[in-house]
Amino acid sequence: MRRLFGSVRARATLAATLVVAVALVAAGAAVLLSLRSNLLGQAGTQAERTARSVATDLAVGKRYDELSLDGDEEPVQVVDANGTLVAVSEDLEKIGGTDTDAVKPRPSASASAGDDSDDDADDHDSALEPGEIDDRTTFTNGSATIDGERADYRFAAVRVEVDGKGELTVYAGAPLSAEQGAVRTAQTVMLIGFPLLLGVVAGVTWLVTRRALRPVEGIRGEMAAITASEDLARRVPVPDTHDEVARLARTTNETLAALETSVERQRRFVADASHELRSPIASLRTQLEVGVAHRELLDLEGAVEDTVRLQRLAADLLLLARLDAGERPADARFDLGALAREEAARRKGVTSDTVDAVEVAGSRGQLERLLANLLDNAQRHARSAVTVCVLRDGDHAVLEVADDGDGVPEGDRERVFERFVRLDAARSRDDGGAGLGLAIARDVAVRHGGTLTVRNAPAGGALFELRLPVVTSDG
């Protein structure tokens, strides 16, 4: 069963069929009840009309044998206040559903409207005046047999006060054959039509769902092919529609593009890291091999420098790997201005200009590394002076590091934050670093909900601006 309804198409078809089935059953029941109620009302109206016609004849003084009670399909009974049958339809053989099941009147009552036969009726306490017909009508359902044919009827009972006879009750019936036939016909139509309609609904839903899901199957097949081929340059087909499937395809292609960019970035990162590691490792190996062969030629200071460079490069690569893995910064609070003053005091040629006390949240160690990278870059390119400034601008803390060097060309102001990028090609690797400092600084700023940009400094060099959200006293 789980495999049978394991597809969206099967579940959608089943759900649509069940919903339509419930709606059809509810609608069919309502139609049958309404039809039966209307036909019962019509039969009751017909029976009441006949009963009031007979009651009118009695009220005007007609005798029992003068009453028109010979309707072929309308049984009529006239019962006195004692429940005795005094008049009845001629062909009525059996009746049920009225106050009396008698079908033959008393002999004395059928002869005439004599005064001595209704002495007891004169003493009957009636709310009606002589010749008055009751406005109320009582309805019941029953059956009657006329000329050997039994049928169901809707009976109407009407009271009439007759002078000299007392209170009489006229029972008249209207056949329910039309109501029963109509209801049976409606039931038959529903029993035949509902399954056919449900079959049509199921078939249409199956076909429509298959057509609607065809692009999804195309997307799935292309994704499977991309996974098998590992070719992230491929894209899934986008249907020429404006529905959810088209948006899914476009979002999938955007995800594939982002994944391709990320994978390509990682490949470049690994290649650049291998290239950067190759030089110090080769230099260190050469120095060690020379030292083994000729101890007097061993350059210990150069070996130490290469080792330190390897250590720094390994630390940078490890930090980038942690940032790429989505490591969240700590939620500590500290004064960014105090951090800037401490870092500036440890470096020669770095001065602190306006430094306000501004509290931020995050990893003090990562932000300290960010500031150190900015200061290293500024000192590497400055002619004589590097300035640090911290101030508050609305809801943000602003940290600026400026130098009086050559600055950064406008076309390279985003490129400098890429990994392993050095704008000064003439600078040696030992002096220029591996090109990871600014990339690490940008990633740390983004992880802390801030931004890091570069523009021209007032002194003509580069000015790196870090903006971080300020922590309020109640936050």
Side-chain angles (χ1 to χ4, degrees), residues 115-132:
D115 294 339
D116 57 348
S117 61
D118 294 293
D119 292 339
D120 295 336
D122 294 335
D123 299 331
H124 181 69
D125 185 12
S126 173
L128 301 176
E129 297 294 333
E132 181 182 1

Side-chain angles (χ1 to χ4, degrees), residues 209-222 236-241 243 245-246 248-249:
T209 307
R210 183 177 65 178
R211 182 170 183 177
L213 294 178
R214 188 177 299 164
V216 177
E217 180 61 24
I219 294 173
R220 186 208 63 78
E222 185 63 24
V236 300
V238 179
D240 188 17
T241 58
D243 55 8
V245 178
L248 172 64

Side-chain angles (χ1 to χ4, degrees), residues 4-20:
L4 179 62
F5 297 104
S7 66
V8 175
R9 182 168 51 183
R11 291 196 297 270
T13 301
L14 177 62
T17 304
L18 289 178
V19 170
V20 174

Side-chain angles (χ1 to χ4, degrees), residues 20-295:
V20 174
V22 172
L24 288 177
V25 170
V31 168
L32 289 177
L33 291 176
S34 177
L35 178 63
R36 185 174 184 275
S37 176
N38 290 336
L39 292 177
L40 280 176
Q42 293 178 9
T45 301
Q46 181 181 350
E48 181 182 11
R49 188 183 302 113
T50 303
R52 290 192 176 277
S53 177
V54 174
T56 301
D57 291 341
L58 292 172
V60 298
K62 282 189 177 182
R63 295 179 303 178
Y64 297 141
D65 55 359
E66 296 176 346
L67 298 176
S68 178
L69 306 178
D70 55 353
D72 294 337
E73 296 182 355
E74 297 179 356
V76 179
Q77 284 182 313
V78 180
V79 181
D80 62 14
N82 297 323
T84 303
L85 183 66
V86 295
V88 67
S89 298
E90 181 179 356
D91 297 327
L92 182 62
E93 300 175 2
K94 188 177 182 181
I95 192 170
T98 60
D99 287 346
T100 177
D101 56 0
V103 294
K104 297 295 182 182
R106 292 186 307 170
S108 60
S110 62
S112 65
D115 294 339
D116 57 348
S117 61
D118 294 293
D119 292 339
D120 295 336
D122 294 335
D123 299 331
H124 181 69
D125 185 12
S126 173
L128 301 176
E129 297 294 333
E132 181 182 1
I133 302 174
D134 194 355
D135 294 335
R136 295 171 298 177
T137 304
T138 303
F139 294 98
T140 57
N141 291 334
S143 61
T145 302
I146 300 177
D147 287 340
E149 296 183 1
R150 183 183 179 281
D152 295 327
Y153 288 85
R154 179 75 165 170
F155 289 101
V158 177
R159 294 188 306 129
V160 58
E161 184 73 20
V162 180
D163 188 18
K165 298 184 181 63
E167 181 181 296
L168 301 177
T169 302
V170 179
Y171 293 94
L176 295 178
S177 56
E179 177 265 340
Q180 293 172 347
V183 171
R184 282 194 297 268
T185 302
Q187 288 177 340
T188 303
V189 171
M190 291 179 183
L191 290 176
I192 297 175
F194 282 6
L196 295 177
L197 183 58
L198 289 178
V200 172
V201 170
V204 171
T205 304
W206 180 270
L207 295 176
V208 171
T209 307
R210 183 177 65 178
R211 182 170 183 177
L213 294 178
R214 188 177 299 164
V216 177
E217 180 61 24
I219 294 173
R220 186 208 63 78
E222 185 63 24
M223 286 296 295
I226 292 173
T227 303
S229 64
E230 298 183 358
D231 182 9
L232 296 178
R234 298 173 61 174
R235 297 293 181 264
V236 300
V238 179
D240 188 17
T241 58
H242 301 282
D243 55 8
E244 292 81 356
V245 178
R247 291 196 292 271
L248 172 64
R250 287 192 290 269
T251 303
T252 302
N253 285 335
E254 292 173 0
T255 303
L256 288 173
L259 182 60
E260 181 185 13
T261 302
S262 177
V263 171
E264 184 62 27
R265 181 182 180 186
Q266 292 298 325
R267 288 174 180 172
R268 289 199 308 268
F269 177 75
V270 172
D272 291 339
S274 301
H275 181 72
E276 292 294 332
L277 289 171
R278 184 185 306 165
S279 295
I281 291 176
S283 176
L284 182 60
R285 178 179 177 179
T286 300
Q287 295 179 53
L288 293 177
E289 289 176 348
V290 170
V292 171
H294 306 281
R295 295 182 180 274

